[in-house]
Amino acid sequence: MPSTPHRALRGFLALCTAAGLASVAAPSASAAPGTGPTAVVTMGDSYISGEAGRWLGNSLTNSGSRNGTDRAWTGSAYDPSRVYGATAGGCHRSDTAEVKSAGPIVSSLINLACSGATTENVIRASQGGQAYKGEAPQADQLAAVAASHDVELIALSIGGNDLGFADIIATCAKDYIVWYSYCHDDQQAEVDAKIDGVMADVGRSVDEIRAVMTAAGYAPSDYRIVLQSYPSPIPRAAENRYAESGWARTNTGGCPFWNADSTWARDSLVPQLANRLKGVAAAKGVQFMDLRDALQGREVCAKASKQVTSTVPASATTSEWARWIDSQSTQGLVQESMHPNAYGQQALGRCLALVHARPTGNHSCKNTAGSGASGMYLTAG
């Protein structure tokens, strides 16, 4: 973005308004917003922080590199910090997180998202927001970035934890493994009871981002906010390669869900959330990126994908792009379950790069069967 005289004044404004974030005694330490390095910032929860970026597909081998799927393998032990850095065991910002996989679209690719975050972890502390995992609310962190960088785009993924995604997954898996009953009817009622409030909080999160950027001296035309939805990590029943009965879905595939529940999640819950988030984006005047179909055919247990074995190597063209449920807890952390893995995150990074190049309109991002991240493409809407 070109610098203008108006934007050149932001350095002074930022020093006056960002109390505790910049030093008036040493103004040279902070670039004027709009004249610093260009930046794209991601905010929100685990689907954008990089949770499960440790994994290149899924393998039943529980030792060593797990047939090359475990990027934390050092050759003698497992070190998740190789993937998550200092956020291992916490926010899980992986080296393949969406923004880190977007490529050289700007000078600085900044990830403020945190696995497990809710809308209250985005909102500024002064407005009632809450710190999380030892970090200040994300909007407060954004204030520091806005003061030192020329922020072009802010991508936000939030609302899933407010809605209780993890609890829904746990309930549905337990209903398959333990109770032999369906979950979709009860869980749909839970979602319907919460979703209006959750969408209001998502809207407030967008408002908070705007407030921070305005306080830093940015005009609305100086940057963009992109609100994104969630991809489905499991396929609809007709596209599951494991039979509904028996233990293969649990012990082999890592997708312990009944057909009716799988189809509900893929074709009802994920679209419902996407459509409501699109409504928030429209109401707040921000762009929307629909990811509901981003993992189509690459989900855990999908017929079009394969597990990694000693004879089937990890590959972005054939492996699953989401982390399975490790019911025996023999690999990694349970919190990584049902998230885009390294391949999935690389694909979402390509989506972000494509949207960065489209300054207007809403877009859906989809994959090309048999292709890696380079095969991701946008459609209108």
Side-chain angles (χ1 to χ4, degrees), residues 244-310:
E244 182 177 32
S245 60
W247 289 102
R249 284 192 181 182
T250 301
N251 295 336
T252 304
C255 57
F257 306 105
W258 295 109
N259 282 346
D261 293 337
S262 298
T263 298
W264 165 74
R266 176 66 182 87
D267 290 337
S268 182
L269 176 61
V270 169
Q272 179 185 13
L273 184 53
N275 292 337
R276 292 298 301 269
L277 287 168
K278 184 177 182 179
V280 172
K284 297 299 179 181
V286 303
Q287 281 186 283
F288 178 66
M289 180 162 65
D290 194 340
L291 299 177
R292 74 181 76 185
D293 297 321
L295 303 184
Q296 171 62 34
R298 316 303 187 96
E299 307 100 331
V300 177
C301 296
K303 287 180 179 178
S305 297
K306 303 175 181 178
Q307 285 186 355
V308 179
T309 69
S310 59

Side-chain angles (χ1 to χ4, degrees), residues 62-334:
N62 290 325
S63 60
S65 68
R66 340 268 194 186
N67 289 324
T69 63
D70 193 346
R71 301 172 59 230
W73 176 245
T74 66
S76 59
Y78 301 103
D79 180 10
S81 69
R82 291 165 61 95
V83 175
Y84 300 117
T87 68
C91 286
H92 274 197
R93 298 188 186 108
S94 72
D95 56 358
T96 58
E98 184 176 311
V99 73
K100 298 298 183 180
S101 294
I105 55 175
V106 288
S107 298
S108 299
L109 302 169
I110 300 172
N111 187 0
L112 302 180
C114 188
S115 181
T118 62
T119 52
E120 72 173 6
N121 306 127
V122 172
I123 294 167
R124 291 169 293 174
S126 64
Q127 300 302 308
Q130 299 295 313
Y132 187 60
K133 295 186 177 177
E135 297 187 2
Q138 292 175 34
D140 289 322
Q141 296 181 54
L142 175 64
V145 174
S148 59
H149 292 74
D150 177 6
V151 177
E152 295 184 355
L153 185 150
I154 301 161
L156 175 66
S157 169
I158 202 71
N161 291 319
D162 298 70
L163 201 59
F165 258 13
D167 290 338
I168 292 172
I169 291 170
T171 298
C172 290
K174 183 177 290 185
D175 282 355
Y176 180 85
I177 297 170
V178 179
W179 300 117
Y180 301 98
S181 62
Y182 294 128
C183 71
H184 63 271
D185 45 1
D186 290 342
Q187 293 306 302
Q188 184 62 65
E190 293 278 347
V191 169
D192 290 342
K194 294 178 182 177
I195 199 164
D196 286 347
V198 170
M199 290 302 116
D201 288 338
V202 171
R204 186 183 174 199
S205 297
V206 174
D207 292 341
E208 282 287 291
I209 291 171
R210 285 211 183 281
V212 166
M213 298 300 287
T214 298
Y218 286 72
S221 60
D222 290 337
Y223 69 100
R224 286 185 281 149
I225 299 173
V226 176
L227 181 63
Q228 62 186 51
S229 66
Y230 297 88
S232 176
I234 59 173
R236 54 184 62 89
E239 296 169 358
N240 194 310
R241 64 179 182 265
Y242 298 100
E244 182 177 32
S245 60
W247 289 102
R249 284 192 181 182
T250 301
N251 295 336
T252 304
C255 57
F257 306 105
W258 295 109
N259 282 346
D261 293 337
S262 298
T263 298
W264 165 74
R266 176 66 182 87
D267 290 337
S268 182
L269 176 61
V270 169
Q272 179 185 13
L273 184 53
N275 292 337
R276 292 298 301 269
L277 287 168
K278 184 177 182 179
V280 172
K284 297 299 179 181
V286 303
Q287 281 186 283
F288 178 66
M289 180 162 65
D290 194 340
L291 299 177
R292 74 181 76 185
D293 297 321
L295 303 184
Q296 171 62 34
R298 316 303 187 96
E299 307 100 331
V300 177
C301 296
K303 287 180 179 178
S305 297
K306 303 175 181 178
Q307 285 186 355
V308 179
T309 69
S310 59
T311 58
V312 179
S315 168
T317 62
T318 61
S319 300
E320 296 165 330
W321 284 10
R323 184 63 179 158
W324 62 6
I325 294 179
D326 179 12
S327 61
Q328 305 299 316
S329 299
T330 54
Q331 301 180 12
L333 298 176
V334 173

Side-chain angles (χ1 to χ4, degrees), residues 19-95:
L21 299 178
S23 172
V24 176
S28 62
S30 178
T35 61
T38 55
V40 168
V41 181
T42 49
M43 302 174 65
D45 56 28
S46 56
Y47 268 73
I48 200 167
S49 76
E51 183 71 80
R54 172 176 172 175
W55 304 96
L56 292 168
N58 299 305
S59 169
L60 291 168
T61 298
N62 290 325
S63 60
S65 68
R66 340 268 194 186
N67 289 324
T69 63
D70 193 346
R71 301 172 59 230
W73 176 245
T74 66
S76 59
Y78 301 103
D79 180 10
S81 69
R82 291 165 61 95
V83 175
Y84 300 117
T87 68
C91 286
H92 274 197
R93 298 188 186 108
S94 72
D95 56 358

